[in-house]
Amino acid sequence: MVLDKNTIVRLQDIQFGYDPTSPDELAVRGVSLEVREREFLSIIGHNGSGKSTMAKMLNGLLLPVSGTVNVDGLSTANEEELWRIRRRVGMVFQNPDNQFVAPTVEDDIAFGLENIGVPREEMESRIMDALEKVGMTEFRQAEPHRLSGGQKQRVAIAAMLAIRPKVLVLDEATAMLDPRGRKEVLEVVKKMNRDAGMTVIQITHYLEETLTSDRIVVMDNGQAVGEGSPDVIYKQADWLRRLGLDVPFACDVQYRLRQKGIQLPNFSTSAEGVLDGLWTFV
């Protein structure tokens, strides 16, 4: 693991098991990872690989049985620092309905701000700023449960943005959405990463969503078994399939072409790049 002075999240040899009576049955085993400020990191792996368990350790929802988790210089092992960590790490889960507690969108976002002690005179500007960033200002008085899936998830993200975390963790946040809803949510998240410099950690099984990541970490059997740029990871189609994963469409096309003895000049994760490569054979 390469040390970086811009690291905001550091996991050092963490382990976690759900059953204390079976210490050998670990959901996460010996993972070390550093996440840099402003990075867009995707974590992939088949069901049960440990990726969501690891995500919940990033803000102290779960505590490792061994190893350390540090966020912005704070340790989740220190109970007195957990409140400060949770202000730095916002989490959005798979089902947004589970995160709504108030009758209107505005009230729901205000509830989170009240919990962290934001003065009432500051709440209004924070709420409007967060809703504007996710394109939901016209729904501030709407009932959250009457919104579409994509709109609900955007409100859930707005609630996190109002707290102004340094790190946003998406734990399968698009899993219950249709393609349009997934696109809406990802556009918002990418904008926050690009324009506001927010660090994003995305856990997903939709591999197409990871193609614009700065880095991808691959989980298997509770361990981090590989990491690299999308180009590096998805060029290894055989390896990913052995782990129970597929590869994005453009990468699969190139894999099938290689099986037929056709090697494009440059590997690409985009359909446009594949088409450009195919033109060299015309």
Side-chain angles (χ1 to χ4, degrees):
M1 181 174 61
V2 178
L3 297 178
D4 191 315
K5 66 180 181 179
N6 295 319
T7 293
I8 190 167
V9 176
R10 177 174 294 149
L11 313 180
Q12 186 66 48
D13 198 25
I14 60 170
Q15 299 198 91
F16 180 85
Y18 287 98
D19 186 356
T21 65
S22 302
D24 294 331
E25 296 181 13
L26 296 172
V28 174
R29 53 185 78 233
V31 172
S32 294
L33 177 67
E34 293 199 350
V35 185
R36 294 179 291 276
E37 291 182 352
R38 307 178 70 93
E39 183 173 20
F40 195 119
L41 174 71
S42 290
I43 301 175
I44 63 174
H46 60 78
N47 290 338
S49 62
K51 57 187 187 297
S52 288
T53 298
M54 187 170 72
K56 291 179 176 66
M57 286 191 274
L58 297 177
N59 74 342
L61 289 178
L62 297 176
L63 299 177
V65 296
S66 66
T68 59
V69 178
N70 285 274
V71 177
D72 204 20
L74 305 171
S75 172
T76 62
N78 187 339
E79 189 173 345
E80 295 179 358
E81 293 182 345
L82 281 178
W83 185 80
R84 294 166 64 194
I85 288 172
R86 288 169 184 163
R87 291 194 65 172
R88 287 164 168 77
V89 180
M91 297 198 69
V92 180
F93 297 100
Q94 183 177 120
N95 189 346
D97 287 320
N98 293 339
Q99 295 181 247
F100 296 139
V101 296
T104 69
V105 166
E106 182 178 47
D107 290 339
D108 198 80
I109 298 174
F111 178 80
L113 295 176
E114 288 173 352
N115 282 342
I116 63 171
V118 174
R120 182 159 295 276
E121 57 271 19
E122 187 182 337
M123 282 187 188
E124 176 71 14
S125 62
R126 284 207 188 196
I127 291 169
M128 290 307 297
D129 180 60
L131 287 173
E132 184 177 346
K133 284 174 178 172
V134 301
M136 292 291 288
T137 52
E138 63 184 285
F139 296 95
R140 60 181 294 184
Q141 295 299 329
E143 298 176 34
H145 296 288
R146 293 184 179 275
L147 301 174
S148 70
Q151 290 171 335
K152 288 177 180 179
Q153 205 60 293
R154 281 194 279 168
V155 171
I157 292 173
M160 292 298 103
L161 296 183
I163 296 172
R164 298 181 179 171
K166 291 187 174 183
V167 181
L168 182 64
V169 179
L170 306 173
D171 186 10
E172 302 281 9
T174 64
M176 299 180 67
L177 305 181
D178 59 22
R180 179 179 177 180
R182 291 200 298 271
K183 183 179 179 182
E184 289 176 353
V185 169
L186 283 174
E187 285 176 349
V188 169
V189 173
K190 288 175 183 175
K191 186 174 188 298
M192 294 309 302
N193 173 252
R194 181 183 64 248
D195 298 345
M198 182 176 289
T199 301
V200 175
I201 302 174
Q202 170 187 229
I203 290 88
T204 183
H205 64 268
Y206 289 108
L207 303 187
E208 298 284 347
E209 295 180 354
T210 70
L211 293 177
T212 56
S213 305
D214 296 313
R215 185 166 51 120
I216 297 172
V217 170
V218 184
M219 296 285 294
D220 183 59
N221 194 30
Q223 297 176 300
V225 295
E227 68 174 273
S229 67
D231 285 356
V232 169
I233 294 298
Y234 291 127
K235 200 170 185 178
Q236 306 174 73
D238 281 332
W239 172 64
L240 289 171
R241 288 195 168 100
R242 287 197 297 272
L243 297 179
L245 298 170
D246 209 335
V247 293
F249 173 75
C251 308
D252 185 55
V253 168
Q254 290 163 99
Y255 169 75
R256 294 175 184 273
L257 288 172
R258 289 198 301 272
Q259 297 296 98
K260 300 291 186 180
I262 302 173
Q263 181 73 46
L264 300 188
N266 298 295
F267 181 79
S268 176
T269 57
S270 70
E272 294 79 6
V274 173
L275 286 173
D276 289 342
L278 287 172
W279 275 111
T280 64
F281 292 94
V282 176

